[in-house]
Amino acid sequence: SDTDLGNTVSQGAVLNEAGVPMIQDTVLGGLTVISGQVQNATAFFFTWFLDKHPETQARAEAWEAQWLDVCIAANAKYKYITVYRWAERSISDELLRESQTAFLPVVISYLVMFVYVTLALGKLHPVRSKIMLGLSGVVVVICSIVIAFGLGSLCGIQVTPIITEVIPFVILAIGVDNVFLLTQCFERSDPTDSLEDRIAYAVTHAGVSITLASFAEIMAFLLGMVTNMSA
């Protein structure tokens, strides 16, 4: 009966498979307790532990996917019951879904940055618009991303979906900044000098700041890589 069930839960007489008493707060939610007796609960927690050894990894992931589908179907089937689900693969599934929908914003951001660099460097001038310079700067950034992913794959580094969302924007901001520095130093050089001398002047003056900035960014990323951060 409901009374017997309430007494059993209140007395902590519910045991798990290991014979350990279940704590009320770990299995029940929205508890109403009066004089030490559980009167009502609006939620019930279910927990399943899967054996996820390498040889059973694929089977466990398939079970989780099917279980999530059943929970979604239950929400559509039952009017007065809401099923909240959480699985080990939930985070990776959500990141994968977000990364698949983030392709268009990445493309738009690179197009906007290309237009911005072109206008900022050369203004609206028929000769000095520097369209190819802006395009080259964006292309170099894209190539650096491809090379980074290639080297990571060659070294056996696993790529998580969140990387595909964050890295393109970070590299874009860092790479385009160097384009402005080099262009500014090049324009400050003596126009009467040869092209080689003007390039040497630009690299000499902008190279120091670019090198220091790159070193600081590398150290920041290395510190982030060795720091344990919870999801």
Side-chain angles (χ1 to χ4, degrees):
S1 64
D2 292 343
T3 302
D4 294 335
L5 180 59
N7 292 333
T8 301
V9 174
S10 300
Q11 296 170 6
V14 180
L15 307 179
N16 60 17
E17 295 181 354
V20 179
M22 299 291 291
I23 302 175
Q24 295 176 4
D25 294 341
T26 63
V27 294
L28 299 175
L31 284 173
T32 301
V33 182
I34 301 177
S35 299
Q37 294 292 321
V38 176
Q39 303 296 322
N40 184 37
T42 60
F44 193 86
F45 298 91
F46 292 92
T47 304
W48 287 272
F49 296 97
L50 303 181
D51 186 8
K52 298 188 69 173
H53 292 293
E55 59 272 10
T56 60
Q57 179 76 19
R59 182 185 303 177
E61 291 180 353
W63 188 94
E64 285 184 345
Q66 185 66 29
W67 175 77
L68 292 172
D69 292 338
V70 171
C71 293
I72 295 174
N75 283 327
K77 181 178 180 180
Y78 300 105
K79 183 178 180 180
Y80 299 104
I81 298 178
T82 302
V83 179
Y84 298 95
R85 65 272 180 195
W86 179 264
E88 185 176 346
R89 60 177 296 162
S90 296
I91 295 179
S92 59
D93 288 346
E94 184 65 20
L95 291 177
L96 180 60
R97 185 184 68 83
E98 289 294 332
S99 63
Q100 292 174 347
T101 59
F103 177 76
L104 183 59
V106 171
V107 174
I108 294 176
S109 65
Y110 273 71
L111 291 177
V112 171
M113 186 59 69
F114 162 66
V115 174
Y116 170 74
V117 172
T118 302
L119 296 179
L121 292 179
K123 311 297 181 182
L124 294 176
H125 194 278
V127 178
R128 301 178 179 178
S129 60
K130 296 183 175 63
I131 295 179
M132 293 305 298
L133 177 59
L135 178 61
S136 300
V138 175
V139 169
V140 169
V141 172
I142 296 176
C143 291
S144 66
I145 296 175
V146 174
I147 293 173
F149 278 102
L151 291 176
S153 301
L154 183 63
C155 297
I157 300 176
Q158 295 183 353
V159 178
T160 59
I162 191 64
I163 294 179
T164 60
E165 295 185 16
V166 176
I167 291 299
F169 295 101
V170 174
I171 301 300
L172 178 63
I174 296 175
V176 170
D177 178 64
N178 295 335
V179 174
F180 284 98
L181 292 176
L182 289 171
T183 303
Q184 185 180 27
C185 291
F186 181 82
E187 291 181 346
R188 287 182 177 179
S189 61
D190 190 351
T192 61
D193 292 340
S194 63
L195 179 61
E196 292 79 4
D197 292 337
R198 298 188 67 184
I199 294 177
Y201 176 88
V203 173
T204 300
H205 288 75
V208 177
S209 59
I210 292 176
T211 302
L212 292 177
S214 299
F215 178 77
E217 292 158 0
I218 291 174
M219 295 303 299
F221 281 111
L222 287 177
L223 289 175
M225 183 178 65
V226 299
T227 303
N228 292 326
M229 293 182 293
S230 59

